[in-house]
């Protein structure tokens, strides 16, 4: 899957080097955004003892491993999510780079992948897809078209509208038939982001991949209710990366 020699042989390693630091920020985002706490200041203090963290406490991946996952001062456990998200952010960049994306397209792909990573993670933890992430991701898809493929802007905007409408209609129909909430509008906004990044042609495959993955997971775990966001995010990512863009 990862063609490391090819990836390291040209400029494609910049996003990979940036990825642990982006992942560090995403970890803060994932823990703070659903709680309505600010994210701009980053992870500046230990949540247990409140002591200010220095640069050596905040090196992605390395600090966590050197400190064995504990605060230097009070030995309280550092949430493991920080380590996993930092590693996952590197994985996203490696994956995008090894799929042949380059230059601006690679940075755009990483931005999409990192956003989807945060959204899927938050939904898995909190059963929420915050507007603060889905709405910028929709605009980001349109902006990416303006930047790299100006001819595709109309198609992308149409894709966003169709993506939103499709899941909104499904959610509405479910509510009418079953009398309770099946899908959230956060899912509709996330599929709109998929349309904004890949146009309407992307949507059927995204829905198919996400639904099959979600169904497989639910059956495997014996669950009847799951957060759909992580599967939708993964579906958008995989289909966007391999189906090609409108
Ligand atoms: Zn502490």
């Amino acid at each position: 899957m990862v063609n490391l020699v090819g990836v390291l042989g040209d400029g494609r390693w910049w996003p990979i080097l940036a990825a642990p630091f982006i992942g560090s920020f995403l970890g803060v985002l994932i823990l703070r955004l659903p709680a309505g706490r600010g994210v701009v200041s980053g992870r500046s203090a230990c949540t247990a003892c409140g002591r200010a963290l220095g640069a050596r406490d905040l090196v992605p991946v390395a600090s966590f491993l050197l400190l064995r996952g504990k605060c230097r001062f009070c030995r309280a456990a550092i949430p493991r999510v920080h380590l996993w998200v930092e590693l996952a952010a590197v994985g996203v960049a490696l994956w995008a780079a090894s799929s042949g994306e380059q230059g601006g397209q690679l940075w755009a792909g990483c931005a999409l992948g990192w956003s989807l990573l945060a959204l899927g993670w938050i939904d898995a933890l909190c059963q929420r897809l915050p507007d603060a992430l889905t709405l910028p991701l929709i605009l980001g898809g349109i902006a990416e078209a303006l930047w790299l493929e100006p001819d595709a802007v109309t198609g992308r905007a149409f894709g966003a509208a169709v993506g939103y409408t499709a899941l909104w209609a499904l959610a509405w129909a479910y509510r009418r038939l079953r009398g309770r909430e099946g899908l959230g509008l956060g899912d509709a906004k996330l599929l709109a982001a998929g349309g904004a990044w890949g146009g309407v042609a992307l949507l059927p495959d995204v829905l198919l991949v996400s639904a099959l993955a979600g169904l497989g997971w639910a059956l495997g775990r014996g669950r009847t209710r799951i957060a759909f966001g992580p599967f939708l995010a993964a579906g958008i990512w995989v289909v966007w990366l391999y189906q090609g863009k409108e």
Side-chain angles (χ1 to χ4, degrees), residues 2-244:
V2 176
N3 174 9
L4 269 180
V5 178
V7 166
L8 295 174
D10 55 45
R12 283 186 280 168
W13 45 275
W14 281 113
I16 297 164
L17 286 183
F21 299 91
I22 304 277
S24 179
F25 173 73
L26 294 180
V28 174
L29 199 71
I30 287 166
L31 292 180
R32 291 193 189 172
L33 194 66
R37 287 154 64 204
V39 294
V40 178
S41 62
R43 188 162 69 97
S44 50
C46 168
T47 48
C49 68
R51 299 279 281 273
L53 299 176
R56 62 178 178 161
D57 301 302
L58 295 170
V59 182
V61 183
S63 288
F64 189 98
L65 297 177
L66 287 173
L67 295 167
R68 295 203 177 78
K70 294 191 178 83
C71 168
R72 182 190 305 281
F73 306 107
C74 69
R75 313 303 296 160
I78 301 167
R80 257 165 207 268
V81 59
H82 289 293
L83 177 67
W84 298 132
V85 176
E86 284 159 9
L87 292 173
V90 175
V92 163
L94 278 173
W95 194 348
S98 64
S99 80
E101 306 282 350
Q102 289 184 31
Q105 192 75 254
L106 174 57
W107 280 105
C110 286
L112 173 65
W114 289 328
S115 305
L116 291 170
L117 178 67
L119 275 162
W121 212 302
I122 290 173
D123 198 28
L125 287 178
C126 316
Q127 287 74 53
R128 275 190 53 201
L129 291 164
D131 284 351
L133 287 179
T134 49
L135 300 183
L137 193 57
I138 295 171
L139 293 177
I142 308 290
E144 192 258 1
L146 278 170
W147 177 34
L148 296 168
E149 290 174 83
D151 291 345
V153 171
T154 316
R156 300 284 197 87
F158 182 63
V162 171
Y164 183 82
T165 310
L167 284 195
W168 176 88
L170 198 62
W172 180 85
Y174 188 92
R175 205 162 49 236
R176 287 295 296 261
L177 289 170
R178 306 290 297 271
R180 62 185 167 88
E181 210 69 48
L183 270 171
L185 287 184
D187 295 307
K189 290 168 198 160
L190 183 52
L191 189 61
W197 278 82
V200 72
L202 209 74
L203 300 176
D205 284 356
V206 167
L207 280 176
L208 187 67
V209 169
S210 319
L212 287 177
L215 198 63
W217 173 267
L219 290 174
R221 292 290 181 106
R223 301 256 182 92
T224 53
R225 290 184 70 79
I226 54 161
F228 189 45
F231 302 100
L232 201 47
I236 291 171
W237 172 244
V238 171
V239 175
W240 184 86
L241 216 49
Y242 293 106
Q243 187 185 285

